[in-house]
Amino acid sequence: MKIHFLGTAAAEGFPNVFCRCEACLASRRLGGKNIRTRASVIVDDTWKFDYSADSQMQALRDQIDMGQIEHLLVTHTHYDHFYPKDLISRSEGFTHVIDHPLHIYGNDLVMHHARQALGQYQGDRFAFQRMKPFQPATIGSATVTPLPADHDPMETCLLYFVEKDGKTLFYGNDTGWFPEETWMWLKGKKIDMAILDCTHGETGNKRSRGHMSADTILEVQQAFAQERILTEPDRIYLTHFTHNSKLLHDDWERLFEPYGIQIAYDGLTVHI
Ligand SMILES: [Zn+2]
Ligand SMILES: [Zn+2]
Ligand SMILES: [Zn+2]
């Protein structure tokens, strides 16, 4: 599997274009890996996780042919993860020379928003598939199992466990410490690469809610190792960073280097 990080920021982007805090000023000054757009990854050039308003510019920046994307897996409807009106650009009359529908997967709220935004444009350009926790979907030769996150009590936010070409990818954001039922399901599984969010920054408890903190990440790493779910520590990649943490890319690298945990950045490509 080829995993391409399109964006690695939390909801407001990093820097937040409205913000003049020290972290945002430093991010603008330093540039490079400190410029983060909203979180998303592309897998094998044909699958995409989440679709924010940044998708258009991310595709231009990394020379992505978005027309190649066949499957869009949406974690939840927060504005940094799903902005379906942007997908009108893929409908009849707006896009030419395209030979397959875009399959959109997500919880019932994702389906509702997708239908509202795209229903009148649907034609044969979009296909919707509602996902329910623990009920796997077959996508080509791959199997994708949605797992409950601990993120927003008003929505069934989903994490995705992907089994594809003999490898497994765990798309584990946005969430705090996983709900017990998710841990139960993960027991006995093997993860080749896990993508987790580190939104709560350096502080926080070992089992933070809503998002993970640095301490929660380390607790997850230990639990993964104890249960032999993920035994290679350098296969954990962190994303969804915010200026509120006050930490820049190099700070995160220094913090997690002793544990072998990787800090993702916009444009990073990983092969597993
Ligand atoms: Zn988010
Ligand atoms: Zn700021
Ligand atoms: Zn969210």
Side-chain angles (χ1 to χ4, degrees), residues 187-246:
K187 278 185 186 174
K189 301 289 190 303
K190 286 269 175 284
I191 294 174
D192 292 305
M193 177 173 173
I195 299 173
L196 303 175
D197 83 69
C198 193
T199 318
H200 278 335
E202 208 172 355
T203 54
N205 62 43
K206 289 185 173 184
R207 297 191 176 187
S208 56
R209 305 287 311 269
H211 285 292
M212 293 196 181
S213 66
D215 290 337
T216 306
I217 298 284
L218 295 176
E219 186 84 348
V220 170
Q221 186 187 36
Q222 275 185 18
F224 275 169
Q226 267 162 20
E227 298 291 339
R228 305 198 64 72
I229 296 169
L230 186 152
T231 49
E232 293 176 62
D234 65 344
R235 285 298 180 185
I236 296 176
Y237 284 75
L238 304 187
T239 184
H240 207 273
F241 293 100
T242 163
H243 60 144
N244 291 325
S245 71
K246 300 183 171 51

Side-chain angles (χ1 to χ4, degrees), residues 248-268:
L248 297 165
H249 185 83
D250 287 352
D251 301 321
W252 283 115
E253 283 208 322
R254 266 193 297 277
L255 190 66
F256 279 109
E257 198 268 330
Y259 306 97
I261 291 173
Q262 310 287 328
I263 310 302
Y265 54 87
D266 286 28
L268 171 68

Side-chain angles (χ1 to χ4, degrees), residues 24 27 32 38 59 62 68 86 93 98 127 162 187 192 194 197 214 248:
C24 286
S27 156
R38 269 60 80 82
D62 290 356
Q68 275 193 287
D86 224 11
I98 199 151
V162 178
K187 278 185 186 174
D192 292 305
D197 83 69
L248 297 165

Side-chain angles (χ1 to χ4, degrees), residues 75-81 151-152 157 174 210-211 240:
T75 55
H76 61 302
T77 61
H78 290 172
Y79 76 98
D80 52 324
H81 296 266
H151 186 50
D152 180 344
C157 302
D174 298 354
H211 285 292
H240 207 273

Side-chain angles (χ1 to χ4, degrees), residues 2-13:
K2 175 179 136 193
I3 293 98
H4 182 137
F5 286 85
L6 284 187
T8 55
E12 65 281 353

Side-chain angles (χ1 to χ4, degrees), residues 56 84-91 93-95 118 125-126:
Q56 165 97 359
K85 279 187 176 172
D86 224 11
L87 288 167
I88 293 171
S89 301
R90 195 189 189 280
S91 62
F94 290 84
T95 284
L118 303 171
R125 292 289 176 93
F126 302 101

Side-chain angles (χ1 to χ4, degrees), residues 168-181:
T168 56
L169 169 69
F170 180 51
Y171 195 69
N173 69 275
D174 298 354
T175 185
W177 178 255
F178 307 132
E180 195 51 36
E181 51 187 349

